[in-house]
Amino acid sequence: MRSLSIFGATGSIGEQTVDLLLRAGGAETHKIVALTGGRNIARLAEMARTLRAEIAVCADASGLAELRDRLAGSGVEAAAGTTAIVEAAERPADWVMSAIVGAAGLEPGFRALRHGATLALANKESLVTAGPLLMAEAARHGARILPVDSEHSAIFQALVGEDIAAVERIILTASGGALRDWPLERLAKATVTEALAHPNWAMGQRITIDSASMFNKALEVIETREFFGVAPDQIEVIIHPESLIHSMVAYRDGAIMAHMGAPDMRHSIGYALNWPDRSHLPVARLDLAQVATLTFRAPDLARYPALRLARQVMARRGLAGAAFNAAKEVALDHFLAGGIGFMDMSGVVEATLEALDADLGHENDAMTLEDVQLVDHLARQRAGKIARRQAGEQ
Ligand code: NAD
Ligand code: MG
């Protein structure tokens, strides 16, 4: 029986992973090791009972008593807190879903690689903050990382049987998010609710706002560079409002391989779950005659400063990704709390990168997980200060 763990099981990706697992027989056909969640303890306990998990862990340490209560008599162990999540990742499992949101997802994925697990990686922040480390850790332990981000799953699939040396360009598609058709001058006033109205994908709150600002695409450009090892200038972004082409690989003979399908994350979660097989998935089938047209347009960098910042981060590499991601998370918190405007987020990130310049090292410096965590911490402090100052001025 294949053993599995899901980190971030109660989130958007986690729930869809559980959905596919249940359809594939759940606890009858899989041994579920660890399930983790944040504050939704009722849902975590319910999943752990249904899937007969070995252990359920909630991130919120104050939730332990409730989790124990809800799991009483089920035989599922209960634990709580960040350390307990990392310890749960040390329990061997054949396949591990990394679907915690944010930098908190890094360490559990890292630990899972140490016992050779196949890591299904939804947590793009892991590659952005610590790409070289993560890839080296996987190689050292003979572990495999399978991308779950839809763009990267699409690229991975378009590369099957091909030589990466024959790749000319990787073309990431972007929906453009909720505000893509707004005039530039209105963007500064966009509210959280408006930025959350994603036209195509139903996702967690944070990534939905990041889609509207293209911080999500900026993270994905860096993720592409780290995962596939291509040069930054080989990576392009194109706005494709229909979100039916999930990304493309352009080869040196002029051929472009595109991955198409309905915008449903269960495509890429299911591909990673069934890999190297392709099994039936409960996703909508495309009727191309109904679709009729696909449209594309180049992204306007004035609207999306995040894309420009991603280029800076890639040129710098080292610990710049860790600072970029942490500053972005803090800027997003301040936008969500109403302190700063939609277009101020990129300003906070840019100012943080400038302020920390001397601490970010260089492309070829050896980095450790501790370095990444330290820069993450410094960038959060600095970005917080900058965002509070900005909020005070408004
Ligand atoms: P989400 O907010 O819906 O769920 C996040 C999960 O992580 C939840 O289980 C939550 O309880 C848990 N969590 C949050 N903070 C935590 C912390 N500090 N410590 C431990 N656990 C914590 O997020 P999501 O949309 O499912 O995204 C998960 C990851 O997948 C992100 O890295 C995101 O960028 C990536 N991703 C998501 C989608 C999507 O469609 N939702 C698509 C591509 C990539
Ligand atoms: Mg994506």
Side-chain angles (χ1 to χ4, degrees):
M1 240 195 217
R2 189 153 75 138
S3 59
L4 268 103
S5 288
I6 306 175
F7 290 82
T10 55
S12 162
I13 295 286
E15 283 282 1
Q16 294 178 83
T17 308
V18 168
D19 172 65
L20 291 180
L21 255 182
L22 288 172
R23 291 169 192 264
E28 302 303 320
T29 49
H30 299 80
K31 177 179 178 311
I32 311 302
V33 180
L35 296 178
T36 81
R39 280 187 295 260
N40 190 349
I41 291 164
R43 180 61 186 137
L44 177 64
E46 185 186 5
M47 279 176 171
R49 279 179 178 273
T50 311
L51 286 168
R52 288 182 236 140
E54 221 174 86
I55 184 169
V57 192
C58 58
D60 180 4
S62 66
L64 183 59
E66 183 188 344
L67 186 61
R68 278 208 180 113
D69 259 12
R70 290 187 182 270
L71 289 173
S74 67
V76 182
E77 287 173 57
T82 309
T83 311
I85 289 185
V86 172
E87 281 167 7
E90 275 160 5
R91 298 189 178 209
D94 301 322
W95 189 92
V96 173
M97 168 55 83
S98 167
I100 288 175
V101 65
L106 175 62
E107 208 175 346
F110 219 83
R111 296 294 167 110
L113 290 175
R114 286 194 191 153
H115 49 74
T118 292
L119 187 67
L121 190 67
N123 181 267
K124 63 191 84 186
E125 296 89 342
S126 296
L127 282 168
V128 172
T129 60
L133 267 181
L134 201 77
M135 299 305 280
E137 193 73 1
R140 184 172 313 129
H141 300 285
R144 186 174 284 278
I145 303 178
L146 297 172
V148 173
D149 215 346
S150 61
E151 295 76 2
H152 305 75
S153 175
I155 297 161
F156 189 81
Q157 294 180 53
L159 280 167
V160 170
E162 304 282 354
D163 181 356
I164 190 84
V167 172
E168 214 165 62
R169 292 175 297 149
I170 289 182
I171 306 163
L172 291 174
T173 51
S175 68
L179 312 176
R180 68 177 174 226
D181 297 319
W182 282 36
L184 184 58
E185 58 283 4
R186 261 188 76 201
L187 285 180
K189 296 256 176 284
T191 64
V192 171
T193 314
E194 286 162 339
L196 274 175
H198 198 286
N200 309 333
W201 297 93
M203 306 183 285
Q205 182 191 53
R206 302 184 69 89
I207 185 174
T208 304
I209 307 268
D210 283 348
S211 293
S213 63
M214 286 260 202
F215 265 110
N216 182 49
K217 209 50 57 180
L219 296 177
E220 290 180 355
V221 168
I222 303 169
E223 181 186 11
T224 302
R225 193 250 177 283
E226 297 298 341
F227 188 78
F228 297 103
V230 293
D233 63 5
Q234 287 179 287
I235 308 168
E236 285 176 17
V237 173
I238 190 141
I239 295 185
H240 166 47
E242 296 86 2
S243 295
L244 297 178
I245 293 184
H246 300 146
S247 276
M248 295 170 260
V249 179
Y251 289 93
R252 63 184 169 207
D253 60 355
I256 295 181
M257 301 297 215
H259 178 284
M260 291 183 74
D264 185 330
M265 283 307 294
R266 292 176 305 176
H267 269 296
S268 41
I269 298 168
Y271 185 79
L273 187 61
N274 299 320
W275 183 89
D277 296 334
R278 266 187 201 280
S279 304
H280 178 274
L281 290 175
V283 298
R285 269 52 182 165
L286 280 188
D287 176 345
L288 290 175
Q290 193 83 37
V291 169
T293 28
L294 296 176
T295 56
F296 303 94
R297 60 186 191 238
D300 169 2
L301 293 187
R303 285 178 86 83
Y304 303 117
L307 293 180
R308 175 175 54 76
L309 294 175
R311 300 275 159 200
Q312 278 181 25
V313 168
M314 287 191 292
R316 182 64 190 266
R317 220 161 167 223
L319 294 161
F324 178 73
N325 179 68
K328 191 266 326 171
E329 290 187 17
V330 170
L332 177 57
D333 289 337
H334 283 261
F335 172 65
L336 287 170
I340 64 171
F342 182 74
M343 292 304 279
D344 295 330
M345 289 190 283
S346 57
V348 170
V349 174
E350 187 160 18
T352 306
L353 287 173
E354 276 166 23
L356 292 186
D357 193 59
D359 300 304
L360 301 181
H362 292 286
E363 159 136 35
N364 297 317
D365 293 353
M367 53 154 115
T368 64
L369 200 55
E370 291 70 37
D371 296 332
V372 172
Q373 285 162 341
L374 178 65
V375 162
D376 176 274
H377 175 71
L378 291 175
R380 276 173 208 276
Q381 273 183 337
R382 183 56 69 116
K385 260 188 212 155
I386 297 169
R388 281 191 297 275
R389 194 169 59 217
Q390 180 102 27
E393 282 165 10
Q394 276 165 5

